[in-house]
Amino acid sequence: MVRTIKAGMAFTALTGALLFQPTMRAQDKMKQDSMNQDDMKRDKMPDDKMMYDGKARTLETGKFHGKVHPTSGRATVYQEADGKLVLRLTNFKTSNGPDVHVILVATKDAMDEVNFLKGNPDKVELGKLKGNEGDQNYEIPAGTDLTKFRTISIYCERFNANFGSALLEKF
């Protein structure tokens, strides 16, 4: 009797494993495929080759540093042949969080909380953070004065927190 119960449980477990395994594989594949498609959709710039083939000119760059959360990588502003400005984050990494945005800030360094968080300087929204790791592009609105907006900030609106910033300097 005990032997029959054990055999029945083993059979049920094996059947369940076989039934759910193809479904799980299909879901994993779909997740991977959709992530690849999302990666392609999110960046309008074809790839880094465009940046280095002379089709885009490097204007400014800066390294990220974090205060509230560890943040690293490089922020670089490129001007495309048609005059459009693009911010590219490379080797970028920060903490994950809710309602995190990439903004240009009219301050020397967003790590200075008195000027940034409490002083309410002028800001230009570039969009929601596309991912907390990896290379990504953000279009800078036409007419943005880069002599005024000197700092890139990774900013969490929900908690009024600056995850990290990069002071832009001439390339």
Side-chain angles (χ1 to χ4, degrees):
M1 177 86 156
V2 172
R3 187 180 224 167
T4 306
I5 291 172
K6 284 183 182 179
M9 288 174 59
F11 179 73
T12 304
L14 182 61
T15 303
L18 292 174
L19 287 175
F20 290 114
Q21 189 176 11
T23 305
M24 294 180 95
R25 270 196 241 134
Q27 286 175 347
D28 289 345
K29 183 166 178 40
M30 285 171 38
K31 284 180 188 173
Q32 179 149 359
D33 290 345
S34 69
M35 283 194 296
N36 290 339
Q37 289 172 357
D38 288 345
D39 288 344
M40 289 186 282
K41 289 178 193 171
R42 76 174 183 201
D43 284 340
K44 294 188 178 171
M45 302 217 32
D47 58 23
D48 284 337
K49 289 179 189 172
M50 182 176 169
M51 301 298 184
Y52 302 108
D53 286 346
K55 295 179 183 176
R57 186 172 60 124
T58 306
L59 299 179
E60 300 187 0
T61 190
K63 282 188 172 184
F64 278 101
H65 54 281
K67 186 169 186 178
V68 175
H69 295 275
T71 303
S72 61
R74 180 165 291 281
T76 306
V77 176
Y78 294 95
Q79 184 174 32
E80 295 178 330
D82 63 1
K84 188 187 316 181
L85 297 177
V86 175
L87 171 69
R88 177 140 180 96
L89 307 184
T90 52
N91 299 317
F92 179 74
K93 187 172 185 176
T94 192
S95 299
N96 202 359
D99 206 19
V100 180
H101 294 253
V102 179
I103 58 174
L104 277 166
V105 186
T107 185
K108 253 204 296 194
D109 191 355
M111 296 313 286
D112 179 358
E113 290 184 4
V114 172
N115 289 327
F116 176 62
L117 296 176
K118 297 175 184 154
N120 201 21
D122 290 339
K123 299 171 188 150
V124 175
E125 170 79 30
L126 300 184
K128 283 194 165 224
L129 186 65
K130 295 174 182 177
N132 65 315
E133 290 186 29
D135 299 351
Q136 45 202 282
N137 296 325
Y138 298 87
E139 191 173 323
I140 298 174
T144 301
D145 181 1
L146 292 178
T147 61
K148 178 180 178 182
F149 296 97
R150 305 295 314 141
T151 301
I152 305 297
S153 171
I154 307 304
Y155 177 70
C156 177
E157 286 189 11
R158 184 172 179 188
F159 294 108
N160 192 33
N162 178 33
F163 279 26
S165 63
L167 178 62
L168 295 173
E169 298 174 335
K170 296 284 182 199
F171 182 72

